[in-house]
Amino acid sequence: MYDKYLIKDGEDLSFIAKKFNTTEGIIMDLNNIPFPDMIRAGKEIIVPINKEKYFEYYTIKKGDTLYGIAREYNINPDLLAILNGLDSGDYIYPNQEILIPKSNYSYYVTKDGDTIDIVSNKFNQSVGDLINNNEIIYLLPGQLLVRKN
């Protein structure tokens, strides 16, 4: 999974890579950046979301379906599909690896028109707690936000 990140003054590629627990090379590949010094403050780039923190991995077996996996892990099948960039009716393949959300978190995928107050109310937590649980909040449609239960 990926997210957008707005480069701030004083940040270089090394700093951003450390912040997102990734490498400079991965960020360069994701954004077609030929040289590390070609980034600048105010530019938006794509960064990987640290999957280890909120997710487990699951390897698809023959006969698996998204609905069956969702039922096995007691999660919403639509959420499972969205988290993995799939539609709920998409075919999944044996040996394909997908993300399974950890049970001690609540998840929300932002929609057009969401505000920080709307999302904090959906999570039933303060705006400050919402900000502390999420490294970056843009509130663009499709952003994944989490709350530790």
Side-chain angles (χ1 to χ4, degrees):
M1 293 191 52
Y2 303 96
D3 206 351
K4 294 178 183 177
Y5 179 73
L6 185 65
I7 301 169
K8 297 172 186 67
D9 283 332
E11 293 182 335
D12 62 9
L13 200 56
S14 174
F15 175 85
I16 296 168
K18 286 177 188 167
K19 182 174 185 164
F20 290 95
N21 195 25
T22 190
T23 66
E24 292 180 33
I26 289 173
I27 293 175
M28 290 171 63
D29 288 346
L30 285 172
N31 294 281
N32 296 318
I33 299 171
F35 304 103
D37 59 351
M38 294 189 72
I39 67 165
R40 65 185 186 288
K43 182 178 180 189
E44 200 170 69
I45 60 173
I46 302 297
V47 293
I49 294 176
N50 184 355
K51 301 174 202 174
E52 300 297 322
K53 191 172 182 180
Y54 307 117
F55 304 99
E56 297 172 9
Y57 293 100
Y58 177 82
T59 303
I60 303 298
K61 299 176 195 78
K62 185 176 180 179
D64 277 344
T65 63
L66 281 178
Y67 180 78
I69 296 166
R71 201 168 72 176
E72 179 181 335
Y73 284 90
N74 195 28
I75 55 177
N76 181 312
D78 293 329
L79 175 64
L80 181 62
I82 289 169
L83 293 177
N84 286 284
L86 302 167
D87 288 326
S88 56
D90 283 352
Y91 183 78
I92 53 176
Y93 304 89
N95 298 321
Q96 178 182 2
E97 198 170 65
I98 62 171
L99 300 172
I100 302 293
K102 290 185 177 178
S103 61
N104 55 339
Y105 290 93
S106 295
Y107 301 85
Y108 178 72
V109 179
T110 57
K111 298 173 185 59
D112 194 28
D114 277 342
T115 65
I116 195 84
D117 289 327
I118 289 171
V119 176
S120 68
N121 286 337
K122 286 185 183 292
F123 277 143
N124 195 25
Q125 72 178 161
S126 71
V127 170
D129 287 341
L130 178 64
I131 291 169
N132 288 335
N133 284 325
N134 296 274
E135 292 177 17
I136 301 170
I137 299 178
Y138 281 110
L139 294 177
L140 297 173
Q143 181 184 12
L144 176 69
L145 297 175
V146 298
R147 176 184 78 117
K148 186 161 177 60
N149 294 335

